[in-house]
Amino acid sequence: LDRLPELVEQAASAGLTVEVEGKPPRLSPGTDLAAFRIVQEALTNVVRHSGSRHARVRLERDGGTLLLRVDDDGPATGADAGGSGNGLAGMRERAAALGGTIEAGPRPDGGFRVLAALPIDVKKAAT
């Protein structure tokens, strides 16, 4: 996640403004890579499937869990704008491999949210 500024720059080159809130805790390399890839895919989905040109990324530690949230304000565009592709499945697989979870879907107030909960200490999550 120390490369998060690079993702923000890439998103900007695609016309997306990204606000980042919070700083990641120290993570194992596997958890760090999974978190990075989840943010990367979530921002790619905003560019591809949302009419919004603005996204928010929030990083927060909750005990032994990294909560990672990516929101956009929508509206969804295109026929496949509900998560029917492989991107969400890949995010879920990455999270599950670490003992974490992904929730993704439309927000009640419009837009779309991806919320990942990843164990910070993978060894503790496996026991």
Side-chain angles (χ1 to χ4, degrees):
L1 286 177
D2 60 339
R3 293 181 44 217
L4 189 55
E6 290 176 41
L7 285 182
V8 171
E9 285 181 32
Q10 289 173 0
S13 69
L16 185 66
T17 301
V18 180
E19 288 180 44
V20 178
E21 181 182 332
K23 294 188 180 194
R26 187 173 190 149
L27 301 169
S28 70
T31 302
D32 190 53
L33 178 60
F36 177 84
R37 294 293 189 209
I38 289 167
V39 172
Q40 184 178 43
E41 183 62 34
L43 292 178
T44 298
N45 286 347
V46 174
V47 170
R48 289 183 181 165
H49 306 296
S50 175
S52 178
R53 298 296 86 193
H54 184 259
R56 292 173 304 284
V57 176
R58 180 181 171 112
L59 305 163
E60 179 182 346
R61 181 181 185 135
D62 182 17
T65 303
L66 170 66
L67 298 178
L68 175 60
R69 187 175 79 200
V70 181
D71 286 297
D72 74 76
D73 296 328
T77 60
D80 63 348
S84 59
N86 293 323
L88 290 176
M91 285 191 269
R92 285 187 177 100
E93 288 171 8
R94 285 183 185 280
L98 298 170
T101 61
I102 294 275
E103 296 174 24
R107 295 188 343 233
D109 61 343
F112 198 84
R113 172 173 290 159
V114 173
L115 177 63
L118 304 175
I120 291 173
D121 186 343
V122 177
K123 287 180 259 176
K124 286 183 181 178
T127 57

